[in-house]
Amino acid sequence: MSSFAPSTLNPRIKNVQYAVRGELAIKSEKYRDMLKNSDHGLPFDKVITANIGNPQQKGLDQPPLTFGRQVASLLEYPPLMESGKNIFPSDAIARAKELYTEIGSIGAYTHSQGVPFIRKNVAKFIEQRDGYPSDPNHIFLTAGASAGVNLLINFLISDDKSGILIPIPQYPLYTATLAQYGGIPLPYYLEETERGWGTSTEEVERAVKKAIDEGVKPKALAIINPGNPVGSVLTYEEQASLVKLCEKYDIVLLADEVYQSNIHTDDAKFTSFKKVVCDLQSNVALISFHSISKGVTGECGRRGGYFECVNVPDETVALLYKMVSVGLCPAVGGQIGVDCMVRPPVEGEESYGLWKKETDTIHKALAERTLFMAQRLNSLPGMSCAPSPGALYLFPRLHLPEKALAAAKEAGRTPDNFYAIALLDQTGICVVSGDGFGQKDGQAHFRLTCLCAGVEAYVDKLEKFHREFMKKYE
Ligand SMILES: Cc1ncc(COP(=O)(O)O)c(C=O)c1O
């Protein structure tokens, strides 16, 4: 046996699961390769990537915001700050020069917590958003929100009786990271209604009490707001009630707010947990995460994000610093992306017009597609789709006939996975089945993103498939 055989490795690695890039995504890549040959023999001519919130991925092609890319280009090749005066707008050059003075070459390691100047800009952004002070020394720039979540879960899992409350359905980063560190996932169930998905404090408290009864310490409550995969946006009252629950049980609040600017309706409003904690003068320890991967920036590949620590003891912040310093520093390109996200061009600056046009176009497209898709899916037999006022996804529920359930069982698959595989095989549409996010027993869902252009044709295909599938097993 090889000394590097799986059986010789950390056994926790085996338990890690991450459906967003799982079997369906791998198969879709295989199909994409096959389609390069004219005699591919597949019943479709294109793979539709609806499985992942990766806006700039090939096939989704959301254009990057020009300002951020101009600043990034200038910092990549500083001589352009002089020679590119006819190509780059003056405010992009000024921004790049300002950042260059602070950072120097992007080829050098920075402060392990992130460039201090950029952290100050993040703090100002937070202050403007919430109306409360923010301490740049309690902000950590990270390689995407994922790196921050991973670090915090590593910190919180102190023994084999440490649990973290996670929403079900959830973004699988949470269960995957808990599996990696041997923490116990404590599921609390989101409630699906015709009006949308909700988070009830009573349900979270039920999960807290169950954990305590079973001898598990609920160390933290993870909340994804706006939600992935469900697209819900919490009301202020819901947030306040959750903060009070954390106070009552001395639980750390992990607020995943990476979709904070993806709000599609006038009724929904994003409020940060930082603001709620400050409004309530609460002493709850809060870590809130943000990212350049979502929103309108969509720069997933640059790996930029940050987290802010509120009510966290200085000694713990020092330990966080110690641990991030082992990794030297977050990627500098990602840090520059964070600066552009928290300091976009403002009215009166040369780049403002274009930035406004680009961001308005993305917001409008996402809102229109989300509404259009939900309406169309809702009109199908055997499918219901709760509205999704935020984030980038829909999470429709499948009500499949008995014969389909039996066929899935026979194939050794969950019903929604069986459905999603058939959808991919027959139409090239790649979604993620609900079992990858968790759901109540006996339910079936799938997640699809609202990022695909040409949505009419794509929904037509999905509808046709769905009707045939239902007929086949009726
Ligand atoms: C809820 C949520 N949190 C965190 C992330 C991680 O994002 P990133 O690491 O790219 O910032 C994602 C990515 O899809 C997400 O949906």
Side-chain angles (χ1 to χ4, degrees), residues 238-291:
E238 286 167 334
Q239 290 177 268
S241 156
L242 290 162
V243 168
K244 286 184 191 140
L245 185 82
C246 289
E247 255 174 28
K248 181 171 167 189
Y249 290 96
D250 191 19
I251 289 173
V252 176
L253 183 49
L254 300 177
D256 184 332
E257 298 177 336
V258 301
Y259 296 102
Q260 59 188 267
S261 65
N262 294 118
I263 301 290
H264 312 310
T265 64
D266 293 339
D267 307 343
K269 182 175 178 311
F270 168 78
T271 306
S272 72
F273 268 104
K274 165 78 180 287
K275 176 167 166 44
V276 180
V277 164
C278 292
D279 281 355
L280 298 178
Q281 299 182 346
S282 168
N283 60 0
V284 160
L286 165 73
I287 313 288
S288 47
F289 303 91
H290 197 10
S291 168

Side-chain angles (χ1 to χ4, degrees), residues 154-211:
N154 188 7
F155 261 59
L156 286 158
I157 302 305
S158 51
D159 56 27
D160 61 3
K161 293 287 176 208
S162 303
I164 296 193
L165 295 145
I166 51 162
I168 295 294
Q170 54 110 26
Y171 173 58
L173 166 66
Y174 290 90
T175 38
T177 313
L178 277 167
Q180 184 185 348
Y181 293 116
I184 302 176
L186 306 172
Y188 66 91
Y189 290 89
L190 306 183
E191 199 191 336
E192 183 178 17
T193 73
E194 274 173 21
R195 284 170 288 112
W197 288 80
T199 302
S200 100
T201 306
E202 292 73 39
E203 167 58 13
V204 181
E205 188 160 22
R206 179 204 59 75
V208 170
K209 287 184 172 153
K210 180 169 182 282

Side-chain angles (χ1 to χ4, degrees), residues 18 20 52-53 143-147 149 171 173-174 224-228 256-259 289-294 299-301 303-305 393 447:
Y18 188 71
V20 175
I52 188 161
S146 310
V149 170
Y171 173 58
L173 166 66
Y174 290 90
I224 308 174
N225 182 45
N228 175 9
D256 184 332
E257 298 177 336
V258 301
Y259 296 102
F289 303 91
H290 197 10
S291 168
I292 63 169
S293 299
K294 315 295 168 182
E299 295 276 15
C300 295
R303 309 309 295 131
Y393 316 95
R447 186 191 79 169

